[in-house]
Amino acid sequence: MEVFLIKLLQFILAISLLVLLHEGGHFFFSKLFGVRVDKFYLFFDPSIWKWNGSLFKWKPKKSDTTYGVGWLPLGGYCKISGMIDESFDTEQMKKPAEPWEFRSKPAWQRLLIMIGGVLVNFLLALFIYSMILYHWGDTYISPKDMTYGMKFNTEAKQLGFQDGDILVGTDKREFKDFSVDLYRDLASAHRADIIRDGKPMTIKLPGDLSLLTMLKTEPSFVRPFIPAVVDTVLPNTPAAKYGLAKGDTIKAINGKAVDSQNDFTFELGRLEDMMAGAKTPADSLRIRTVSIVVAHESSNLNAQTSNQRVDTVHTVLTPELKFGFAPKALAQLYEPRHDDYSLLASVPAGVKYGIGVLRGYVDDMKYVFSADGAKSLGGFGAIGSLFPATWDWYMFWKMTAFLSIILAFMNILPIPALDGGHVLFLLYEMITRRKPSETFMIRAEYVGIGLLILLMVVANLNDILRWLGYM
């Protein structure tokens, strides 16, 4: 429960900050051009019976704007006078236009008002990334430093990769770290540069691999090779009861040889699939009863024993299919690199990083329109789960910057009811010198809101199905 609350608090804080600043962008340009803002709200405030839906509201003296906090934490809004938006205030639109209304202003001013929120979110993300680099620097493990090499799945091996190959880069660029960008480059590259047995080599690639397939296939296309060597034994687990010790090596499970922690984890995943089909407690117990071959580090043996001892352990895994040990983390296997940035250097570096994040996100959007892509959509639960289980300001700000870029991109999409839909109609007006009718704008707003609600339902339904184990 504590982990859930920590993730929830980080999610709410990040979203509240982003929504406030996004709506603040609209507010700033509205005030700049003399447009009246009727309401400025964090969260939505739909009325319930006789209650107006506001947890808090305040209207300063000599101000036309009511500020408040609604009860429904799904975003926020800036109600601009004389504009057709999600409030559907058609009564105001029936009255003659006033000089302080949105509809009375030149198209270029209305355009700036509409892109104000997106502009603030994008600039905020670049600023946060820059300050992260200035304050924390950049710590990473270069793939070419991973001397154990990588593990590849069957699809990768059919292209010519072998377990133990060290990825260096592609015809696009050299890899900086092992992240999703590495997969993106491999998906669209025509050549991969590797080191095999100490010698540089190249492997031809088709240039059109599916990034989604590379990531979702079990095991994934490539992952760092992690030896199945015990680093930490967890208390009150089958491994602790057996007497597993630091330095011991897992050699096989249920007769299946494993040469890495990657293989061991994959075999546990197979058992997990079998557990999903277990119908009785006896079936579950049978699946959890395994034999594990363990090679003991010589230093763990008695002084009289000079040769390595290999034992076969017959044990019952926990209901979560855990044996109860942890291998070394990547940062323990390899020396991380670290780059520090001065305040002056952090700005261009942060801008470059933020643009790279945006480019990658935009490139990945094409997968949304596939069946697997639709299943990969996530709602509030999926977004909230991205935050760490403990309060970590570095990860909090990094996730906030990422969400800010997503919010900027999603809002600029040319969908009615989003900022991008209004921008599209304004550009049409500026080019043709003809303003769309209010009837058309209202109908478009309804269509846009319908699409957004459908998207929200699908994304959050996916979260529920994952939680129930159906996806």
Side-chain angles (χ1 to χ4, degrees), residues 16 24 62 70 72 86 109 163 259 272 296 301 328 349 417 450:
S16 298
K62 299 181 180 179
L72 187 61
E86 60 272 12
Q109 291 185 4
D163 289 340
D259 65 358
E272 189 174 347
H296 297 275
L301 305 177
K328 286 186 176 180

Side-chain angles (χ1 to χ4, degrees), residues 27-42:
F27 184 89
F28 171 78
F29 282 105
S30 296
K31 291 296 186 181
L32 181 66
F33 298 128
V35 176
R36 181 177 295 177
V37 176
D38 297 327
K39 297 176 75 174
F40 185 89
Y41 261 64
L42 174 64

Side-chain angles (χ1 to χ4, degrees), residues 35 131 177 195-196 218 237 261 263 267 284 294 313-314 341 345 359 403 423 429 449:
V35 176
M131 292 303 98
D177 55 11
I195 297 175
R196 179 180 296 169
E218 289 293 338
T237 62
Q261 179 67 19
D263 285 351
E267 291 304 319
S284 173
V294 179
V313 183
H314 298 282
Y341 293 85
R359 184 184 297 115
L403 292 178
V423 168
E429 178 185 342
I449 288 179

Side-chain angles (χ1 to χ4, degrees), residues 12-233:
I12 291 176
L13 179 59
I15 291 298
S16 298
L17 175 66
L18 296 180
V19 169
L20 276 174
L21 292 176
H22 177 91
E23 300 303 334
H26 297 308
F27 184 89
F28 171 78
F29 282 105
S30 296
K31 291 296 186 181
L32 181 66
F33 298 128
V35 176
R36 181 177 295 177
V37 176
D38 297 327
K39 297 176 75 174
F40 185 89
Y41 261 64
L42 174 64
F43 305 151
F44 293 114
D45 59 332
S47 300
I48 300 178
W49 195 37
K50 296 182 179 180
W51 181 45
N52 61 21
S54 299
L55 298 178
F56 162 82
K57 66 177 182 177
W58 173 62
K59 187 174 183 179
K61 292 182 179 179
K62 299 181 180 179
S63 174
D64 299 312
T65 307
T66 299
Y67 302 88
V69 178
W71 65 269
L72 187 61
L74 295 179
Y77 67 96
C78 176
K79 187 177 185 305
I80 300 172
S81 183
M83 174 183 167
I84 296 174
D85 58 12
E86 60 272 12
S87 67
F88 295 107
D89 188 0
T90 56
E91 292 303 316
Q92 184 185 45
M93 303 304 292
K94 293 177 182 178
K95 300 175 183 178
E98 301 288 349
W100 35 260
E101 286 187 333
F102 178 83
R103 54 180 165 166
S104 300
K105 300 300 178 180
W108 69 270
Q109 291 185 4
R110 285 181 278 138
L111 180 64
L112 286 175
I113 291 172
M114 292 317 306
I115 66 173
V118 169
L119 183 63
V120 167
N121 280 133
F122 184 62
L123 293 178
L124 174 67
L126 301 184
F127 173 76
I128 293 176
Y129 282 132
S130 299
M131 292 303 98
I132 286 175
L133 292 175
Y134 172 66
H135 184 75
W136 283 285
D138 189 14
T139 301
Y140 58 95
I141 299 172
S142 174
K144 65 182 179 183
D145 291 340
M146 297 180 182
T147 52
Y148 283 105
M150 286 81 186
K151 287 284 290 185
F152 297 87
N153 68 5
T154 302
E155 179 190 11
K157 290 176 179 177
Q158 289 174 347
L159 294 172
F161 291 103
Q162 295 181 12
D163 289 340
D165 288 348
I166 301 173
L167 287 171
V168 176
T170 65
D171 49 333
K172 294 176 173 293
R173 58 183 169 178
E174 182 177 309
F175 296 132
K176 178 184 177 181
D177 55 11
F178 202 101
S179 65
V180 69
D181 288 334
L182 179 144
Y183 286 88
R184 288 193 184 103
D185 285 358
L186 288 173
S188 58
H190 292 88
R191 185 196 78 233
D193 300 325
I194 65 168
I195 297 175
R196 179 180 296 169
D197 299 327
K199 298 178 180 178
M201 294 183 60
T202 61
I203 292 177
K204 290 184 178 180
L205 297 176
D208 59 352
L209 296 174
S210 168
L211 175 64
L212 199 60
T213 301
M214 294 171 72
L215 291 171
K216 292 191 67 174
T217 304
E218 289 293 338
S220 58
F221 187 88
V222 59
R223 59 266 189 227
F225 187 105
I226 300 176
V229 178
V230 177
D231 182 68
T232 305
V233 179

Side-chain angles (χ1 to χ4, degrees), residues 6-7 10-11 14 383-389 395-396 399-400 403:
I6 291 174
K7 286 176 175 278
Q10 291 180 91
F11 173 68
I383 296 173
S385 67
L386 296 175
F387 287 91
M395 288 303 301
F396 170 80
M399 275 303 306
T400 301
L403 292 178

